[in-house]
Amino acid sequence: MKQTTRQLFNSSTFQQNSHLTLFELNQMVREVIETSMPNEYWVEAEISELREMGGHCYLELIQKDEHTNTPVAKASAKCWRSHWVTVRARFLHATGQLPAKGMKVLLSVYAQFHENYGFSWIVTDIDPTFTLGDMAAKRREIVRQLKEEGVFDANRELALPMFCQRIAVISSANAAGYGDFCNQLADNPYGYQFHTALFASVMQGEGVEQGIVAALNAIFDQVDDFDCVVIARGGGATSDLSGFDTLVLARNVANFPLPVITGIGHDRDESVLDMISHTRVKTPTAAAAFLVDHLHRVDVALDDAAQRIARQVRSRMEHEQLRLGQLSVRIPSLFAVVKASQEARLERLLRRMSTAISVRITKERYLLENFHQALRPSLMRRMDKEKHRIEMLSQRTQALDPQLLLQRGYSITLHDGKAVRDASQLDPGDVIETRLSKGVIHSIVQPTSAESSQ
């Protein structure tokens, strides 16, 4: 059949109306592949998709350009159940996680073409050491960038508060590890009180980075309400930890203003998140134990400090009591000396004050005498001057007395108590008063003959 189809395809007698069925064409392709590619090949590729069905594993492989990250090759691959059970277990044991999307792998494959299902690479083995090397290289590159940015040790340099009791927890709400963490805190043997707040996040798979970053942002919005952050992962599969080895997540944790404690449930390898966190422990329970122990150490330190202070206070009080006892013995004699000294001093001051007062009184009396002698002539001169001025004013007042004018034959005409200086101020019928030297005349103003004729 193989020879017949080749002869039919290559024959010079191939006519226009000659043709192959699709099955015959696919059979030719299978024969060519089986003949020309009979071996297995180790191939380096990145997993773009992976799914397990019926015990088999179906993969989509991709290769990207190193500079542009643009896909340059794609292929489908399958690992049958007979191989996948062994490959899966060995890979998980060596790396601590299963093959997953975005992971670079080194696969042993052979080509297979089926007339009905088309072409596929069949996977017989996956080398975990290559993936471990690639994962380590990615971690080294992330660490290098963080150190270059100067933030690799930023979170570790933060001081864990002495009374670290307000805990923001990033975990899956239904994770057993989160429950173990809360129970460990609540049932601590010292009776310490802790306050926890859960910020739920996906803790495995592709959404780890996005979920934890979103939770950190939510905690940052109320950062003053917490003392530290605990990223807890437990109770789920321990196979998918690649989400904790990303640059974006590492940057967020490194730059976070609160100490971050990680307990993500693995100790085979140290993830980048573990490297840059403030404190790394193996499990959520260990994280709770760390917080309890930290508070207990603070409690013990405070008790020790209180005891030291009490001892120092007692020692100081005993010393002061001894000193006061010694002083109480010396005080009477010291008081007598001080009393005599002060009495002599007061006596000297009294004599000095008495002398000074006598001198000041004598001086002031002399000044008063001088003022009295100088003041009398001055007052006499001033009084004579004022007396003369008063006499002059009296003479001028007498000269202006209206009564003198009346005695000389003058008279004063008044209307309503006011002197009349102009006849036009009066109207016919007005009553006027004329004052003479002797007596008063009352008159009524009459109109003139000209006014009457009018």
Side-chain angles (χ1 to χ4, degrees):
M1 179 65 181
K2 184 184 300 183
Q3 184 177 5
T4 302
T5 55
R6 287 177 180 171
Q7 289 175 350
L8 179 63
F9 186 75
N10 297 323
S11 174
S12 58
T13 61
F14 183 78
Q15 302 297 323
Q16 183 70 25
N17 59 350
S18 298
H19 61 271
L20 296 172
T21 65
L22 179 61
F23 180 81
E24 291 172 337
L25 179 63
N26 285 352
Q27 192 177 41
M28 288 175 61
V29 172
R30 187 185 70 176
E31 291 174 357
V32 170
I33 291 175
E34 289 177 351
T35 303
S36 59
M37 301 182 66
N39 302 320
E40 292 188 9
Y41 306 92
W42 283 101
V43 178
E44 175 187 335
E46 180 182 324
I47 299 174
S48 62
E49 295 291 342
L50 184 149
R51 64 185 186 280
E52 296 183 61
M53 293 178 60
H56 308 299
C57 181
Y58 299 88
L59 306 99
E60 295 294 328
L61 304 177
I62 192 171
Q63 179 182 343
K64 299 177 181 177
D65 184 273
E66 294 182 358
H67 304 290
T68 64
N69 211 35
T70 303
V72 295
K74 294 182 180 180
S76 298
K78 304 180 182 70
C79 186
W80 303 125
R81 179 169 48 200
S82 57
H83 286 93
W84 179 241
V85 173
T86 304
V87 170
R88 184 182 191 276
R90 188 159 62 90
F91 192 91
L92 176 59
H93 177 75
T95 65
Q97 54 188 300
L98 291 174
K101 178 180 178 181
M103 187 180 291
K104 283 190 177 181
V105 290
L106 185 64
L107 311 98
S108 177
V109 301
Y110 66 88
Q112 184 184 75
F113 189 88
H114 191 277
E115 291 86 345
N116 193 29
Y117 300 109
F119 179 83
S120 180
W121 294 105
I122 305 302
V123 179
T124 59
D125 198 4
I126 301 177
D127 184 2
T129 59
F130 174 84
T131 303
L132 283 172
D134 181 67
M135 292 165 59
K138 286 183 178 178
R139 283 196 293 268
R140 286 195 299 270
E141 177 60 20
I142 293 174
V143 169
R144 185 193 67 77
Q145 292 190 48
L146 293 174
K147 288 184 176 180
E148 189 175 277
E149 295 170 7
V151 299
F152 184 77
D153 297 316
N155 195 263
R156 196 160 37 246
E157 291 172 352
L158 296 176
L160 192 66
M162 293 181 63
F163 301 97
C164 191
Q165 296 173 279
R166 303 174 302 166
I167 318 300
V169 184
I170 300 177
S171 182
S172 175
N174 299 321
Y178 171 63
D180 294 341
F181 174 81
C182 294
N183 292 334
Q184 183 81 2
L185 289 181
D187 299 334
N188 71 85
Y190 311 107
Y192 300 141
Q193 296 295 315
F194 292 88
H195 306 281
T196 61
L198 175 65
F199 293 81
S201 169
V202 175
M203 299 304 289
Q204 65 182 47
E206 298 179 13
V208 171
E209 175 189 292
Q210 182 179 358
I212 295 180
V213 170
L216 288 172
N217 290 336
I219 296 171
F220 183 80
D221 291 338
Q222 43 186 312
V223 68
D224 293 334
D225 296 335
F226 301 104
D227 300 316
C228 74
V229 177
V230 173
I231 300 178
R233 179 186 185 274
T238 59
S239 59
D240 188 3
L241 299 171
S242 59
F244 299 97
D245 284 331
T246 70
L247 180 60
V248 172
L249 179 56
R251 277 194 183 125
N252 275 268
V253 172
N255 289 290
F256 205 71
L258 294 178
V260 177
I261 301 169
T262 56
I264 54 181
H266 72 107
D267 58 358
R268 179 182 301 275
D269 292 311
E270 188 177 33
S271 69
V272 175
L273 187 63
D274 292 322
M275 294 179 190
I276 54 86
S277 64
H278 183 278
T279 302
R280 176 225 177 169
V281 294
K282 293 181 180 180
T283 63
T285 303
F290 169 78
L291 291 170
V292 172
D293 291 342
H294 171 75
L295 194 56
H296 181 60
R297 288 194 298 271
V298 172
D299 192 10
V300 171
L302 289 176
D303 285 342
D304 291 343
Q307 293 176 8
R308 289 197 304 271
I309 292 172
R311 287 195 299 269
Q312 291 177 359
V313 169
R314 284 195 298 270
S315 175
R316 184 61 181 268
M317 288 180 65
E318 292 172 357
H319 174 74
E320 293 300 327
Q321 286 176 351
L322 178 62
R323 192 169 69 89
L324 287 173
Q326 294 173 347
L327 288 174
S328 64
V329 173
R330 295 173 57 192
I331 282 175
S333 58
L334 292 173
F335 178 75
V337 173
V338 172
K339 179 181 178 183
S341 173
Q342 294 299 319
E343 286 178 346
R345 179 172 173 272
L346 289 174
E347 186 65 28
R348 290 194 300 272
L349 288 175
L350 183 60
R351 288 197 298 269
R352 288 173 60 188
M353 287 177 62
S354 178
T355 303
I357 291 172
S358 298
V359 171
R360 185 62 180 266
I361 290 174
T362 301
K363 180 179 179 181
E364 294 301 327
R365 183 179 289 117
Y366 174 74
L367 291 175
L368 286 173
E369 288 292 337
N370 289 339
F371 283 146
H372 180 266
Q373 293 176 6
L375 186 60
R376 184 177 181 82
S378 177
L379 287 175
M380 294 302 295
R381 287 194 297 273
R382 183 61 181 265
M383 288 176 64
D384 291 340
K385 181 179 179 180
E386 292 300 323
K387 182 178 179 180
H388 177 71
R389 191 170 68 86
I390 290 172
E391 290 177 352
M392 294 298 294
L393 288 174
S394 176
Q395 292 176 6
R396 291 175 61 186
T397 301
Q398 290 177 0
L400 296 175
D401 187 358
Q403 191 64 34
L404 295 177
L405 295 175
L406 294 177
Q407 291 176 1
R408 296 176 185 172
Y410 294 97
S411 64
I412 299 175
T413 301
L414 303 175
H415 178 253
D416 293 334
K418 296 179 181 180
V420 178
R421 294 182 174 84
D422 188 351
S424 62
Q425 294 177 350
L426 301 175
D427 294 322
D430 287 342
V431 178
I432 60 176
E433 178 182 301
T434 302
R435 290 187 180 183
L436 305 174
S437 175
K438 293 180 181 181
V440 177
I441 300 172
H442 292 88
S443 307
I444 296 175
V445 177
Q446 296 291 339
T448 61
S449 57
E451 290 176 350
S452 299
S453 64
Q454 290 177 358

